[in-house]
Amino acid sequence: GESVGLHLPTLSVQEGDNSIINCAYSNSASDYFIWYKQESGKGPQFIIDIRSNMDKRQGQRVTVLLNKTVKHLSLQIAATQPGDSAVYFCAEISDSSYKLIFGSGTRLLVRP
Amino acid sequence: GAGVSQSPSNKVTEKGKDVELRCDPISGHTALYWYRQSLGQGLEFLIYFQGNSAPDKSGLPSDRFSAERTGGSVSTLTIQRTQQEDSAVYLCASSLFATDTGELFFGEGSRLTVL
């Protein structure tokens, strides 16, 4: 089927390299942040999260960094693999809300 | 099934027709969300259910859009008198509770094309 994200910013990396995907958020009241991965034709899938009382959180091959001063979030993927090719969204939520607000997304292409 | 199930996966309709999109959440999940994703865009929040109640309908684009949830399970999103700008992928997600955690489980979406 048709891919989502045809008009999204694209990051192209060589297989095995590290990837860094950036996201700026706007709501200073947001205190919980999540990265989602969306493969073509599928719904978004949770990758990793971080709360505002943390600056860094690591998962398996992924690290999320949070800079509250400049309202910036990044996702680092180590040793990027072809299966990492997807659209990546950051999302934010405030403690007083249940509503997850998504950013516009970045398309990651992994070159073999 | 174990995941969130949505139907139909694809729907092509003519402008002015009504459409119904269905979502079966994960069994036992009390919270259910509808999002809309236009081509090349992020996810736009539409509505959220806690049980059968919809505390927040503020994301619905117009009064042509409505949603209901019955039995704390299945939800239906209805779009009346469809317009071409309604063309998008409609995504449903569920979570165990309506909490401030972001681990929503998404279905694969219903792609709506309005001709």
Side-chain angles (χ1 to χ4, degrees):
Chain A
E2 188 175 18
S3 299
V4 297
L6 290 177
H7 307 292
L8 294 173
T10 298
L11 174 66
S12 180
V13 300
Q14 190 73 38
E15 181 179 356
D17 287 351
N18 296 334
S19 302
I20 300 177
I21 300 171
N22 297 303
C23 175
Y25 63 95
S26 57
N27 186 358
S28 57
S30 293
D31 55 9
Y32 181 69
F33 305 89
I34 313 97
W35 281 99
Y36 275 85
K37 172 186 180 182
Q38 186 175 29
E39 297 177 83
S40 181
K42 296 186 177 181
Q45 182 180 18
F46 176 97
I47 302 174
I48 191 168
D49 59 359
I50 188 169
R51 292 207 173 268
S52 59
N53 60 354
M54 302 173 67
D55 297 322
K56 178 179 179 179
R57 190 170 186 212
Q58 288 185 295
Q60 186 176 15
R61 283 202 307 119
V62 295
T63 300
V64 54
L65 299 177
L66 175 64
N67 185 330
K68 296 180 289 294
T69 302
V70 295
K71 292 190 283 189
H72 183 269
L73 194 66
S74 68
L75 177 69
Q76 300 179 356
I77 305 174
T80 313
Q81 302 171 358
D84 296 327
S85 292
V87 177
Y88 289 81
F89 293 97
C90 65
E92 61 186 291
I93 194 166
S94 69
D95 190 49
S96 61
S97 173
Y98 47 80
K99 190 186 302 184
L100 197 58
I101 304 299
F102 284 79
S104 56
T106 297
R107 185 180 183 88
L108 176 65
L109 293 177
V110 181
R111 304 188 304 272
Chain B
V4 176
S5 177
Q6 292 188 245
S7 61
S9 55
N10 278 286
K11 176 70 176 180
V12 179
T13 190
E14 293 179 346
K15 178 181 174 180
K17 301 285 188 181
D18 297 351
V19 296
E20 283 190 353
L21 308 176
R22 176 188 167 106
C23 173
D24 280 280
I26 293 172
S27 178
H29 280 195
T30 64
L32 186 146
Y33 307 76
W34 283 99
Y35 284 82
R36 179 170 71 173
Q37 186 172 33
S38 300
L39 185 64
Q41 303 295 319
L43 281 72
E44 174 190 5
F45 172 84
L46 298 179
I47 190 170
Y48 145 77
F49 287 91
Q50 175 58 45
N52 293 333
S53 300
D56 186 349
K57 304 179 182 179
S58 63
L60 294 176
S62 73
D63 58 8
R64 295 186 295 104
F65 287 72
S66 63
E68 64 176 13
R69 189 180 185 195
T70 55
S73 182
V74 172
S75 177
T76 302
L77 178 68
T78 301
I79 309 172
Q80 295 178 307
R81 305 180 302 281
T82 52
Q83 303 294 313
Q84 289 183 333
E85 61 263 29
D86 299 334
S87 295
V89 176
Y90 290 81
L91 289 159
C92 176
S94 70
S95 63
L96 190 58
F97 303 109
T99 70
D100 64 347
T101 65
E103 191 164 3
L104 305 185
F105 295 85
F106 281 86
E108 296 195 341
S110 292
R111 180 178 297 278
L112 175 65
T113 303
V114 182
L115 301 176

